[in-house]
Amino acid sequence: MAPPKRISREGVLAKVSAAFAGEAPPSMDEIAAAAGVSRAALYGLFGSRSALLEAIGAELEPPVADRILAAAGELVAERGLGGLSLDEVAARSSASRATVYRLYPGKAALFRQVVLTYLPIEEALGMMEGLADRSPNEVMAALGRGLAQSGPVRIGVLRSVMFEVVARGEAGGEEFLDEAFRTTQVIIGYLEQQMAAGRLRRMDPVLAMQAFLAPVMLHTVSRPVMEEYGLMTMSLDEAVQEFTDAWLRATAPPRHRRAMPGTAGPVTSRRRSGRASR
């Protein structure tokens, strides 16, 4: 009786790579059949399916929890909290309905996790706290860049959160509002400090925050359409800097403002010269 052929990693990889080139990642049963070996032999050689797939260069599917959150994020960006459906999330993510409901017992719980995932609160808090002693020129520019470069899904989630904060949307949505308010409170607190220090003019800090966030958000959300119609000539970074500069000019304390066209100089200078001439 001929001795059994020795099974090698190289032999398995050669057969599997040829059988599944360019296809979706196969199951262990499919790999075992293509390689002509048992599942036990495959685990003995590679340790896990993911290690085997990595060895043949196959693109791995994200874990089911990641797929669920990605599908939920897309739905929230498209339709807001009102359009979030756990059944549709299950269909989009190719996860079972039971798995979605096991991980997230209700829509509010799933929406809260989407907010935490796509609008990382700790990241925003860390940035604002780390720059708390810096000037508005630096901090607001960094905030604008971070917001604009976050991608359409993240922007859509932020838009939905802002709507829920204002509208106090569906019942159950209150569960995530505290998380959303944590970030806005840090921004508002920073603006209040800068106003107290005289670096920004006195105004309602909530309005100051909205005056900055709203145009950056609108531009980021509408930019793909404007680019499609050839209406944008500047880069995203340049556009965000323009918005930041406009906001800084509008919120600068009076002594820092340049004279309006047709005036002789800053308001404070004219007042001083007027007193001196009397």
Side-chain angles (χ1 to χ4, degrees):
M1 185 174 178
K5 292 183 179 179
R6 182 174 178 274
I7 302 170
S8 68
R9 285 174 56 95
E10 292 73 18
V12 169
L13 292 176
K15 292 180 179 180
V16 174
S17 299
F20 299 105
E23 296 185 11
S27 67
M28 287 298 274
D29 286 334
E30 292 171 327
I31 296 172
V37 299
S38 67
R39 284 166 49 97
L42 290 178
Y43 281 111
L45 289 171
F46 296 94
S48 68
R49 174 176 175 264
S50 60
L52 196 163
L53 292 176
E54 183 178 353
I56 65 173
E59 187 173 338
L60 297 176
E61 280 189 357
V64 64
D66 292 348
R67 300 202 311 271
I68 289 171
L69 282 176
E74 291 174 358
L75 274 176
V76 170
E78 294 168 10
R79 307 175 191 173
L81 175 58
L84 180 60
S85 160
L86 270 67
D87 288 346
E88 187 163 354
V89 167
R92 284 199 183 195
S93 63
S94 300
S96 69
R97 189 172 180 272
T99 298
V100 175
Y101 278 86
R102 176 175 57 81
L103 293 173
Y104 304 103
K107 185 161 70 170
L110 179 54
F111 185 62
R112 181 177 184 275
Q113 189 58 48
V114 167
V115 172
L116 293 176
T117 299
Y118 285 94
L119 305 179
I121 304 299
E122 295 305 324
E123 177 185 319
L125 294 178
M127 187 202 78
M128 294 300 298
E129 291 170 355
L131 299 176
D133 59 341
R134 306 292 182 88
S135 71
N137 302 55
E138 183 177 352
V139 173
M140 302 311 288
L143 181 61
R145 286 193 300 272
L147 177 64
Q149 294 172 356
S150 53
V153 172
R154 197 169 179 182
I155 287 294
V157 172
L158 177 58
R159 181 178 60 233
S160 178
V161 168
M162 292 297 184
F163 175 80
E164 295 299 325
V165 168
V166 172
R168 306 291 296 191
E170 294 189 9
E174 296 85 357
E175 293 185 21
F176 68 87
L177 288 180
D178 287 344
E179 297 291 344
F181 274 122
R182 285 180 64 202
T183 302
T184 58
Q185 286 170 348
V186 170
I187 298 173
I188 290 168
Y190 171 79
L191 295 177
E192 287 178 327
Q193 291 174 358
Q194 298 304 308
M195 291 175 190
R199 300 188 184 99
L200 297 174
R201 72 177 178 86
R202 289 280 187 179
M203 64 178 295
D204 188 310
V206 175
L207 294 181
M209 177 188 67
Q210 292 175 333
F212 180 80
L213 295 179
V216 175
M217 286 176 57
L218 176 60
H219 176 79
T220 305
V221 171
S222 61
R223 185 179 177 91
V225 176
M226 292 189 291
E227 288 178 333
E228 182 179 344
Y229 283 90
L231 299 177
M232 284 306 307
T233 58
M234 63 174 59
S235 69
L236 180 59
D237 285 344
E238 291 171 334
V240 170
Q241 191 60 55
E242 287 281 350
F243 285 121
T244 303
D245 291 344
W247 184 87
L248 289 169
R249 287 193 296 271
T251 57
R255 68 178 183 275
H256 291 162
R257 293 183 187 173
R258 295 183 178 277
M260 297 294 289
T263 61
V267 175
T268 51
S269 298
R270 294 204 307 276
R271 286 176 178 168
R272 286 174 186 154
S273 62
R275 290 194 191 99
S277 61
R278 285 175 186 160

